Amino acid sequence: MTAADPTQAPKTRRPWQAAGAAAAVVGACAVCCAGPVLAVLGGLSIASLAGALWMPALAVIAVAALVVMALVLRRRRNTTCSAPAGPIDLGMPPTPSRAGASGAEDKPVDTF
């Protein structure tokens, strides 16, 4: 072991000095970051307030959309299964008759 030097000042340990410096650092950080943190928390609370107010309106709109969709699907199902009674005219031209066929209305067809 070495002997203590009489010219050197004795080292005193002050544990509260380090704690005070840490508190000052934390305080400076809190002052610096308080504005953005409060802005984020305020934005979240405003967004949740808007969501709480708009949620019932959105639920009403969703229910109305489901009712309209059910009505449209029911109408489509009913109309696709119905057909008019009797023969249906397709609007196709009459077929020409063959040459040499018997009958007064038969006309010969030119072949190319």
Side-chain angles (χ1 to χ4, degrees):
M1 293 214 154
T2 61
D5 188 12
T7 59
Q8 194 176 30
K11 292 183 180 178
T12 58
R13 294 187 182 239
R14 297 182 187 158
W16 298 109
Q17 195 174 23
V25 169
V26 169
C29 180
V31 169
C32 177
C33 298
V37 168
L38 290 176
V40 168
L41 293 177
L44 290 176
S45 64
I46 289 173
S48 64
L49 177 66
L53 293 177
W54 283 100
M55 190 57 66
L58 293 177
V60 169
I61 291 171
V63 168
L66 286 174
V67 168
V68 168
M69 185 179 71
L71 292 175
V72 167
L73 290 177
R74 177 179 282 177
R75 182 179 293 171
R76 283 185 185 175
R77 189 177 334 137
N78 289 341
T79 57
T80 56
C81 294
S82 63
I88 300 172
D89 183 27
L90 298 178
M92 299 194 55
T95 57
S97 60
R98 294 185 186 164
S102 63
E105 298 176 278
D106 291 334
K107 298 178 185 175
V109 176
D110 293 332
T111 57
F112 295 102

